Amino acid sequence: MSEPIPIVNYLVLGEAPHLVSYECTNCKARFFGRRNACASCFGSEFNQVEVATTGELRSFTIVAFAAPGVEVPFVSGIIDCDGTSVNANIINTKPDPEHVVLGMKVQLATYSMGADADGVEAIGFGFEPIEAA
Ligand SMILES: [Zn+2]
């Protein structure tokens, strides 16, 4: 068996999966995925920073129609993780307005997207509601 691979290169797996963003050393804007220049100030130096694995749902859309093969409905959201905006799906809950509400607390969750012909498993991520204690 091979090691599972994250579906995007800014998802870091392991015992405590988390997202990594590039932070512009000049203006502190954060981006996911490697880029050559900062979209805010055109700076070209970045530090890699760990993004908080918990956050608050800032905005969401319940997607009812999608490309063939994509299960609908699903919830596409923008999560504020301690100041970093993350675009991700809200998972492990029912995709309706009763279960998905603005401002709710969510946490990073990973899931298997299946394996390819060589048995390499791909891991995707989303955010799931944090159960009220
Ligand atoms: Zn910048």
Side-chain angles (χ1 to χ4, degrees):
M1 275 300 276
S2 312
E3 289 280 301
I5 52 162
I7 194 69
V8 288
N9 59 10
Y10 54 85
L11 172 63
V12 179
L13 300 175
E15 271 179 38
H18 61 274
L19 302 178
V20 168
S21 77
Y22 288 91
E23 184 179 78
C24 174
T25 57
N26 185 47
C27 74
K28 306 294 180 201
R30 288 184 174 186
F31 305 95
F32 289 103
R34 198 169 244 309
R35 55 174 61 222
N36 294 320
C38 172
S40 298
C41 74
F42 303 116
S44 58
E45 304 226 339
F46 298 91
N47 288 325
Q48 281 196 53
V49 292
E50 255 185 54
V51 177
T53 56
T54 58
E56 220 177 271
L57 186 59
R58 276 297 148 82
S59 147
F60 71 91
T61 308
I62 296 174
V63 180
F65 300 97
V70 177
E71 214 176 294
V72 290
F74 66 90
V75 182
S76 166
I78 297 174
I79 299 103
D80 177 13
C81 291
D82 225 2
T84 303
S85 285
V86 180
N87 290 288
N89 291 347
I90 303 301
I91 61 173
N92 298 339
T93 188
K94 286 196 176 143
D96 62 46
E98 264 174 57
H99 295 85
V100 180
V101 288
L102 286 180
M104 77 176 183
K105 306 277 190 231
V106 292
Q107 64 190 359
L108 184 73
T110 58
Y111 60 93
S112 174
M113 303 181 73
D116 70 10
D118 298 323
V120 178
E121 191 183 16
I123 305 294
F125 77 95
F127 281 78
E128 64 183 10
I130 297 175
E131 300 294 333

